[in-house]
Amino acid sequence: KLSDIRIVPNPYNIKDPLLLGYVLDENNRRISFYNLPSEVTIKIFTESGNLVKTINHNPLNRVGSIDWDMLTDNQQAIASGLYIAHFETPSGDTAYQKFLVVR
């Protein structure tokens, strides 16, 4: 169910000492989406409605999670602010969730 999807961490605060053990890449940024259906498209928008990233989740092994390095489709790091994640399955089911990024 799309209502089971979780965005972690939320809020994302780069200065949070608990994140030091969580981040994986050299740029110290990562947001994870958990409990995803086997096929889903995630579109991430700014609060003003600008599309910054599209992620197609269709893993061969059907794992229900994916990590995002917080880079836009143009390979730019996202700024602090409120973001909206739009989830859509191939059958047309949709859901929205908000998450906050603090740098």
Side-chain angles (χ1 to χ4, degrees):
K1 296 185 319 189
L2 293 179
S3 60
D4 291 339
I5 295 174
R6 296 293 173 251
I7 302 172
V8 178
N10 188 15
Y12 175 91
N13 184 342
I14 197 164
K15 298 193 187 293
D16 186 342
L18 295 176
L19 283 181
L20 295 177
Y22 177 74
V23 293
L24 291 178
D25 73 359
E26 66 279 359
N27 297 313
N28 289 333
R29 60 179 176 249
R30 180 181 82 177
I31 288 181
S32 299
F33 300 92
Y34 291 105
N35 300 327
L36 295 171
S38 60
E39 278 189 74
V40 67
T41 298
I42 306 167
K43 291 186 177 182
I44 300 169
F45 297 89
T46 63
E47 184 177 15
S48 59
N50 296 319
L51 178 64
V52 295
K53 183 70 176 179
T54 300
I55 303 168
N56 292 306
H57 175 72
N58 186 8
L60 296 175
N61 60 2
R62 304 287 188 212
V63 172
S65 66
I66 194 167
D67 295 329
W68 176 42
D69 59 7
M70 299 170 66
L71 295 176
T72 68
D73 284 332
N74 296 324
Q75 299 302 304
Q76 302 295 313
I78 63 170
S80 294
L82 181 67
Y83 290 85
I84 297 137
H86 171 258
F87 304 93
E88 185 170 4
T89 64
S91 64
D93 294 331
T94 62
Y96 296 89
Q97 287 192 28
K98 298 179 208 173
F99 62 97
L100 185 64
V101 174
V102 180
R103 293 196 175 269

